[in-house]
Amino acid sequence: MPAPMPAPAPMPMPTPASQALLTVLLVEDNPADARLVQLMLADAHVPRFALVPVDRLTIAVETLVSGRQIDAILLDLGLPDGQGLANVTRLRGVAPRVPIIIMSGNDDEAVAVAGVRDGAQDYLVKGRIEADGLTRALRYAIERQEVETRLAAALETQQEANRQLARLSKAKSDFVSIVGHEFRTPLTGILGFSEIMRDEELSPAEVRDYAGDINADAGRLIRMITEMLDLDRMEAGQVTLRREMVDLRALVTEVAALARRTAPRHAILLALDDAVPPLLGDRDKLVQVVTNLVSNAIKYSAGGTITIGAAGYATSVDGVDGGDGGDGGGVHLSVCDEGVGIAPEALDTVFERYARIESAATRYIAGTGLGLPIVRQLVALHGGRVWAESVPGQGSTFHVDIPAPAPETDTAPETATAPPPAFVE
Ligand code: ADP
């Protein structure tokens, strides 16, 4: 199910030109010219203009970056600290949405055209400006800028919609390809085994065997579908946590006991610190995180040792706080195997949807490429992060940091009916 289309990022609203008082930044070093502009604008009634006169480009820049409301700029091109059209570029750089009207002593058509091309709204020649013309030029410049801003906002909305369509289209082809590849295998099994049961004389023991195979394949299918739907709901922000105090040591011990039953070729060891702080989290979802990681550790190693570690940390490994905005303390979980490993360039991509690393070692290992994205989403819901380290051919370690206590967020119980995670070999 595709994620709903996100609302477009809000664009800053332009100042309505009809508003009663418009603030004009007058960048002019000649006091006589500045006074003239002041007099011309003084008589305007609707709108009225408030002038902010400055005599240096640097002061104009400071004024604009200070966040003060400026509706338009009247800009002289010959300033002590800035000459020519570079002045326009400089101010556009810091205030791209504020309309600029050039005031120049130079009646040069080429400069005027170049100025407009550089982003100025108008070009007025000093000595030829009169009050009506100036107020009209200001009003029109502000109106034009508003239209441009609205057009830019519409364009951005359109582009975001296009990006979303591209994402949906990719999700659709990913879905089709995963159905093609991964669903086919268990379905072929179900078809084959059921045909044998239908067409051949079988002993009760054989029937049980085939029914068991069909059951396992059907279980695999349902898990894949559940994972897909779960991930979609998480990515759409529809999953919330049912928080309680969780003892990670006990949780890890339980998951390890279950894992041992399905992985007779592996030695599953625990390395649990005495001082693992209690976590405020969703127990079932944390079980799913550990189960997915241990399940992978089993799947992607032919045997050997798998070590599940849990420890408290004061600040996360890279010194960045764990996302709780507090002192950075929390719980560190690790799952270390001696398996096929992951190439350095794939260490980040394995957390993306349907990312499966094709190699001779993994070719025959079944999977959907959804286990790790689910882990990442669940960890993120807890305000934490997950990452991997690996030496190809020697093994991998997956690390999870979860801040404790977890950040206060929505604690409404979630309504998912997902079955508990299971180990799959
Ligand atoms: P799946 O295992 O179903 O393919 P995951 O999202 O759990 O999907 O993992 C994505 C990919 O990351 C796997 O296909 C595999 O290539 C790689 N991977 C995950 N865990 C391990 C691990 N412990 N050792 C080696 N590779 C791993």
Short mmCIF file of all heavy atoms in Angstrom, two decimals, residues 255-256 258-268 290-306 308 335-340 365 422-425:
data_model
loop_
_atom_site.label_atom_id
_atom_site.label_comp_id
_atom_site.label_asym_id
_atom_site.label_seq_id
_atom_site.Cartn_x
_atom_site.Cartn_y
_atom_site.Cartn_z
N VAL A 255 14.66 -14.13 23.47
CA VAL A 255 14.83 -14.28 22.01
C VAL A 255 15.92 -15.30 21.71
O VAL A 255 15.78 -16.15 20.82
CB VAL A 255 15.16 -12.92 21.35
CG1 VAL A 255 15.45 -13.10 19.86
CG2 VAL A 255 14.01 -11.94 21.53
N ALA A 256 17.00 -15.27 22.49
CA ALA A 256 18.11 -16.20 22.25
C ALA A 256 17.64 -17.64 22.47
O ALA A 256 17.99 -18.54 21.70
CB ALA A 256 19.28 -15.87 23.19
N LEU A 258 14.66 -18.85 22.06
CA LEU A 258 13.85 -19.25 20.90
C LEU A 258 14.73 -19.54 19.70
O LEU A 258 14.54 -20.51 18.96
CB LEU A 258 12.88 -18.13 20.52
CG LEU A 258 11.55 -18.07 21.26
CD1 LEU A 258 10.78 -16.83 20.83
CD2 LEU A 258 10.74 -19.32 20.95
N ALA A 259 15.73 -18.67 19.49
CA ALA A 259 16.61 -18.81 18.32
C ALA A 259 17.39 -20.13 18.39
O ALA A 259 17.58 -20.78 17.35
CB ALA A 259 17.58 -17.63 18.27
N ARG A 260 17.82 -20.51 19.58
CA ARG A 260 18.62 -21.74 19.70
C ARG A 260 17.85 -22.95 19.17
O ARG A 260 18.43 -23.86 18.58
CB ARG A 260 19.00 -21.97 21.17
CG ARG A 260 20.16 -21.10 21.59
CD ARG A 260 20.66 -21.43 22.98
NE ARG A 260 21.51 -20.35 23.42
CZ ARG A 260 21.19 -19.48 24.37
NH1 ARG A 260 20.05 -19.60 25.03
NH2 ARG A 260 22.02 -18.51 24.68
N ARG A 261 16.53 -22.93 19.36
CA ARG A 261 15.72 -24.08 18.92
C ARG A 261 15.73 -24.23 17.40
O ARG A 261 15.57 -25.32 16.88
CB ARG A 261 14.27 -23.88 19.35
CG ARG A 261 14.09 -24.10 20.82
CD ARG A 261 12.62 -24.31 21.10
NE ARG A 261 12.27 -23.57 22.30
CZ ARG A 261 11.09 -23.03 22.53
NH1 ARG A 261 10.14 -23.12 21.63
NH2 ARG A 261 10.86 -22.39 23.66
N THR A 262 15.89 -23.09 16.69
CA THR A 262 15.83 -23.17 15.23
C THR A 262 17.21 -23.17 14.58
O THR A 262 17.30 -23.24 13.37
CB THR A 262 15.04 -21.97 14.65
OG1 THR A 262 15.75 -20.79 15.01
CG2 THR A 262 13.63 -21.92 15.17
N ALA A 263 18.25 -23.06 15.38
CA ALA A 263 19.59 -22.93 14.79
C ALA A 263 20.56 -23.89 15.47
O ALA A 263 21.48 -23.46 16.18
CB ALA A 263 20.07 -21.49 14.92
N PRO A 264 20.39 -25.18 15.22
CA PRO A 264 21.24 -26.16 15.92
C PRO A 264 22.71 -26.07 15.52
O PRO A 264 23.59 -26.48 16.28
CB PRO A 264 20.63 -27.51 15.51
CG PRO A 264 19.83 -27.23 14.28
CD PRO A 264 19.39 -25.81 14.35
N ARG A 265 22.99 -25.48 14.34
CA ARG A 265 24.40 -25.42 13.90
C ARG A 265 25.15 -24.23 14.50
O ARG A 265 26.34 -24.07 14.30
CB ARG A 265 24.46 -25.33 12.37
CG ARG A 265 24.01 -26.59 11.65
CD ARG A 265 24.37 -26.53 10.18
NE ARG A 265 23.93 -25.30 9.55
CZ ARG A 265 22.70 -25.12 9.06
NH1 ARG A 265 21.81 -26.09 9.15
NH2 ARG A 265 22.35 -23.98 8.50
N HIS A 266 24.42 -23.35 15.17
CA HIS A 266 25.06 -22.14 15.69
C HIS A 266 25.16 -22.18 17.21
O HIS A 266 24.31 -22.75 17.87
CB HIS A 266 24.23 -20.91 15.31
CG HIS A 266 24.19 -20.63 13.84
ND1 HIS A 266 23.34 -21.31 12.99
CD2 HIS A 266 24.90 -19.77 13.07
CE1 HIS A 266 23.53 -20.86 11.76
NE2 HIS A 266 24.47 -19.93 11.78
N ALA A 267 26.21 -21.54 17.70
CA ALA A 267 26.30 -21.32 19.16
C ALA A 267 25.82 -19.91 19.42
O ALA A 267 26.45 -18.94 18.94
CB ALA A 267 27.75 -21.49 19.60
N ILE A 268 24.71 -19.77 20.10
CA ILE A 268 24.17 -18.42 20.34
C ILE A 268 24.50 -18.01 21.76
O ILE A 268 24.01 -18.59 22.73
CB ILE A 268 22.65 -18.40 20.07
CG1 ILE A 268 22.42 -18.79 18.60
CG2 ILE A 268 22.08 -17.01 20.37
CD1 ILE A 268 21.01 -18.70 18.10
N VAL A 290 15.20 -7.43 17.73
CA VAL A 290 16.24 -8.42 18.07
C VAL A 290 16.04 -9.68 17.22
O VAL A 290 17.00 -10.24 16.68
CB VAL A 290 16.20 -8.75 19.59
CG1 VAL A 290 17.33 -9.71 19.94
CG2 VAL A 290 16.30 -7.48 20.43
N THR A 291 14.77 -10.09 17.07
CA THR A 291 14.50 -11.31 16.29
C THR A 291 14.97 -11.16 14.85
O THR A 291 15.62 -12.06 14.30
CB THR A 291 12.99 -11.64 16.31
OG1 THR A 291 12.57 -11.73 17.67
CG2 THR A 291 12.70 -12.95 15.62
N ASN A 292 14.65 -10.04 14.23
CA ASN A 292 15.08 -9.84 12.84
C ASN A 292 16.60 -9.89 12.72
O ASN A 292 17.14 -10.49 11.78
CB ASN A 292 14.58 -8.50 12.30
CG ASN A 292 13.10 -8.53 11.95
OD1 ASN A 292 12.41 -9.48 12.29
ND2 ASN A 292 12.60 -7.50 11.28
N LEU A 293 17.30 -9.24 13.66
CA LEU A 293 18.77 -9.21 13.56
C LEU A 293 19.36 -10.60 13.80
O LEU A 293 20.27 -11.03 13.08
CB LEU A 293 19.34 -8.20 14.57
CG LEU A 293 19.00 -6.73 14.29
CD1 LEU A 293 19.60 -5.82 15.36
CD2 LEU A 293 19.50 -6.29 12.91
N VAL A 294 18.82 -11.31 14.80
CA VAL A 294 19.36 -12.64 15.09
C VAL A 294 18.99 -13.59 13.95
O VAL A 294 19.80 -14.43 13.54
CB VAL A 294 18.83 -13.15 16.46
CG1 VAL A 294 19.27 -14.58 16.70
CG2 VAL A 294 19.30 -12.24 17.58
N SER A 295 17.78 -13.43 13.43
CA SER A 295 17.34 -14.26 12.31
C SER A 295 18.30 -14.10 11.12
O SER A 295 18.70 -15.09 10.49
CB SER A 295 15.93 -13.79 11.94
OG SER A 295 15.36 -14.64 11.03
N ASN A 296 18.69 -12.86 10.83
CA ASN A 296 19.65 -12.63 9.75
C ASN A 296 21.01 -13.23 10.08
O ASN A 296 21.67 -13.81 9.21
CB ASN A 296 19.82 -11.12 9.51
CG ASN A 296 18.72 -10.56 8.62
OD1 ASN A 296 17.95 -11.32 8.05
ND2 ASN A 296 18.64 -9.25 8.53
N ALA A 297 21.44 -13.06 11.34
CA ALA A 297 22.74 -13.59 11.73
C ALA A 297 22.77 -15.10 11.49
O ALA A 297 23.78 -15.66 11.03
CB ALA A 297 23.01 -13.27 13.21
N ILE A 298 21.64 -15.76 11.77
CA ILE A 298 21.57 -17.21 11.54
C ILE A 298 21.57 -17.50 10.02
O ILE A 298 22.32 -18.33 9.52
CB ILE A 298 20.29 -17.79 12.19
CG1 ILE A 298 20.34 -17.63 13.72
CG2 ILE A 298 20.11 -19.26 11.81
CD1 ILE A 298 19.02 -17.93 14.43
N LYS A 299 20.70 -16.74 9.31
CA LYS A 299 20.54 -16.99 7.88
C LYS A 299 21.83 -16.80 7.10
O LYS A 299 22.16 -17.56 6.20
CB LYS A 299 19.51 -15.99 7.32
CG LYS A 299 18.21 -16.60 6.98
CD LYS A 299 17.19 -15.73 6.28
CE LYS A 299 17.37 -14.29 6.07
NZ LYS A 299 16.19 -13.65 5.46
N TYR A 300 22.56 -15.73 7.46
CA TYR A 300 23.72 -15.37 6.64
C TYR A 300 25.03 -15.91 7.20
O TYR A 300 26.09 -15.35 6.99
CB TYR A 300 23.76 -13.85 6.42
CG TYR A 300 22.56 -13.39 5.62
CD1 TYR A 300 21.49 -12.76 6.23
CD2 TYR A 300 22.49 -13.66 4.26
CE1 TYR A 300 20.36 -12.39 5.49
CE2 TYR A 300 21.37 -13.29 3.52
CZ TYR A 300 20.31 -12.66 4.13
OH TYR A 300 19.21 -12.32 3.40
N SER A 301 24.94 -16.99 8.00
CA SER A 301 26.16 -17.68 8.41
C SER A 301 25.85 -19.17 8.44
O SER A 301 24.77 -19.57 8.87
CB SER A 301 26.65 -17.19 9.78
OG SER A 301 25.65 -17.36 10.76
N ALA A 302 26.80 -19.96 7.96
CA ALA A 302 26.55 -21.40 7.87
C ALA A 302 26.61 -22.04 9.25
O ALA A 302 26.14 -23.15 9.46
CB ALA A 302 27.60 -22.03 6.95
N GLY A 303 27.21 -21.38 10.20
CA GLY A 303 27.36 -21.91 11.55
C GLY A 303 28.17 -20.92 12.35
O GLY A 303 28.18 -19.73 12.04
N GLY A 304 28.88 -21.41 13.36
CA GLY A 304 29.74 -20.52 14.15
C GLY A 304 28.98 -19.87 15.29
O GLY A 304 27.86 -20.28 15.63
N THR A 305 29.58 -18.82 15.82
CA THR A 305 29.04 -18.19 17.02
C THR A 305 28.26 -16.94 16.66
O THR A 305 28.67 -16.16 15.82
CB THR A 305 30.21 -17.81 17.96
OG1 THR A 305 30.92 -19.00 18.27
CG2 THR A 305 29.69 -17.18 19.24
N ILE A 306 27.14 -16.78 17.34
CA ILE A 306 26.39 -15.53 17.24
C ILE A 306 26.34 -14.95 18.64
O ILE A 306 25.93 -15.64 19.58
CB ILE A 306 24.97 -15.77 16.71
CG1 ILE A 306 25.03 -16.23 15.25
CG2 ILE A 306 24.12 -14.50 16.83
CD1 ILE A 306 23.71 -16.72 14.69
N ILE A 308 24.93 -12.05 21.12
CA ILE A 308 23.97 -10.94 21.29
C ILE A 308 24.42 -10.17 22.53
O ILE A 308 24.53 -10.74 23.62
CB ILE A 308 22.54 -11.45 21.50
CG1 ILE A 308 22.19 -12.54 20.48
CG2 ILE A 308 21.55 -10.30 21.40
CD1 ILE A 308 20.82 -13.17 20.72
N VAL A 335 24.38 -7.48 17.63
CA VAL A 335 24.24 -8.88 17.21
C VAL A 335 25.40 -9.15 16.25
O VAL A 335 25.50 -8.51 15.19
CB VAL A 335 22.89 -9.13 16.51
CG1 VAL A 335 22.80 -10.57 16.03
CG2 VAL A 335 21.73 -8.81 17.45
N CYS A 336 26.26 -10.06 16.67
CA CYS A 336 27.52 -10.28 15.93
C CYS A 336 27.55 -11.72 15.43
O CYS A 336 27.31 -12.66 16.19
CB CYS A 336 28.66 -10.02 16.93
SG CYS A 336 30.26 -10.33 16.26
N ASP A 337 27.83 -11.88 14.13
CA ASP A 337 27.90 -13.25 13.60
C ASP A 337 29.23 -13.50 12.90
O ASP A 337 30.03 -12.58 12.72
CB ASP A 337 26.72 -13.51 12.64
CG ASP A 337 26.77 -12.64 11.39
OD1 ASP A 337 27.81 -12.66 10.68
OD2 ASP A 337 25.79 -11.92 11.11
N GLU A 338 29.47 -14.74 12.53
CA GLU A 338 30.70 -15.11 11.82
C GLU A 338 30.35 -15.58 10.41
O GLU A 338 30.87 -16.57 9.92
CB GLU A 338 31.42 -16.22 12.60
CG GLU A 338 31.83 -15.79 13.99
CD GLU A 338 32.45 -16.92 14.81
OE1 GLU A 338 32.25 -18.11 14.49
OE2 GLU A 338 33.14 -16.59 15.79
N GLY A 339 29.44 -14.86 9.79
CA GLY A 339 28.90 -15.32 8.51
C GLY A 339 29.55 -14.71 7.29
O GLY A 339 30.73 -14.31 7.31
N VAL A 340 28.75 -14.58 6.24
CA VAL A 340 29.28 -14.19 4.92
C VAL A 340 29.77 -12.74 4.88
O VAL A 340 30.60 -12.38 4.06
CB VAL A 340 28.23 -14.38 3.81
CG1 VAL A 340 27.87 -15.86 3.67
CG2 VAL A 340 26.98 -13.55 4.06
N ILE A 365 19.85 -18.00 -0.29
CA ILE A 365 19.23 -17.69 1.00
C ILE A 365 17.97 -16.88 0.73
O ILE A 365 18.02 -15.83 0.09
CB ILE A 365 20.20 -16.90 1.91
CG1 ILE A 365 21.47 -17.72 2.13
CG2 ILE A 365 19.53 -16.57 3.23
CD1 ILE A 365 22.56 -16.99 2.89
N ALA A 422 8.97 -14.45 13.86
CA ALA A 422 9.39 -15.84 13.98
C ALA A 422 10.75 -16.01 13.35
O ALA A 422 11.14 -15.22 12.48
CB ALA A 422 8.37 -16.74 13.28
N PHE A 423 11.48 -17.01 13.79
CA PHE A 423 12.77 -17.29 13.17
C PHE A 423 12.58 -18.13 11.93
O PHE A 423 11.83 -19.10 11.93
CB PHE A 423 13.67 -18.02 14.16
CG PHE A 423 14.19 -17.10 15.20
CD1 PHE A 423 13.55 -17.00 16.43
CD2 PHE A 423 15.26 -16.27 14.94
CE1 PHE A 423 14.02 -16.13 17.38
CE2 PHE A 423 15.73 -15.39 15.89
CZ PHE A 423 15.10 -15.32 17.12
N VAL A 424 13.22 -17.74 10.88
CA VAL A 424 13.07 -18.48 9.62
C VAL A 424 14.44 -18.83 9.13
O VAL A 424 15.31 -17.96 9.06
CB VAL A 424 12.43 -17.58 8.53
CG1 VAL A 424 11.88 -18.44 7.43
CG2 VAL A 424 11.39 -16.67 9.12
N GLU A 425 14.66 -20.05 8.79
CA GLU A 425 15.96 -20.40 8.22
C GLU A 425 15.84 -20.57 6.73
O GLU A 425 14.82 -21.02 6.23
CB GLU A 425 16.49 -21.66 8.86
CG GLU A 425 17.42 -21.33 10.01
CD GLU A 425 18.38 -22.45 10.30
OE1 GLU A 425 17.97 -23.43 10.90
OE2 GLU A 425 19.55 -22.32 9.91
#
